[in-house]
């Protein structure tokens, strides 16, 4: 479960930085989709 939460935190940070700096919406969408996947995995394991 630690790997799931660390992946969630890492993707959240990456998404925040992309939205602040790059404004690349395609990459931001890809990361947010991956983040959603990890969040679902997290809640399924609880």
């Amino acid at each position: 479960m630690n790997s799931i939460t660390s992946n969630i935190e890492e993707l959240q940070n990456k998404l925040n930085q992309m939205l602040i700096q790059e404004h690349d919406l395609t990459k931001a969408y890809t990361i947010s989709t991956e983040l959603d996947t990890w969040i679902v995995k997290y809640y399924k394991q609880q």
Side-chain angles (χ1 to χ4, degrees):
M1 182 115 87
N2 285 339
S3 66
I4 292 174
T5 54
S6 65
N7 281 329
I8 289 172
E9 290 175 5
E10 180 183 337
L11 289 169
Q12 285 176 327
N13 290 335
K14 188 184 282 189
L15 184 59
N16 287 338
Q17 288 301 317
M18 288 185 71
L19 293 175
I20 290 169
Q21 295 172 358
E22 295 181 22
H23 304 294
D24 186 346
L25 297 179
T26 304
K27 285 183 183 178
Y29 176 78
T30 302
I31 291 173
S32 67
T33 303
E34 186 177 351
L35 178 59
D36 289 343
T37 302
W38 283 106
I39 291 171
V40 168
K41 286 182 183 181
Y42 173 79
Y43 282 108
K44 282 185 177 180
Q45 286 193 1
Q46 285 202 1

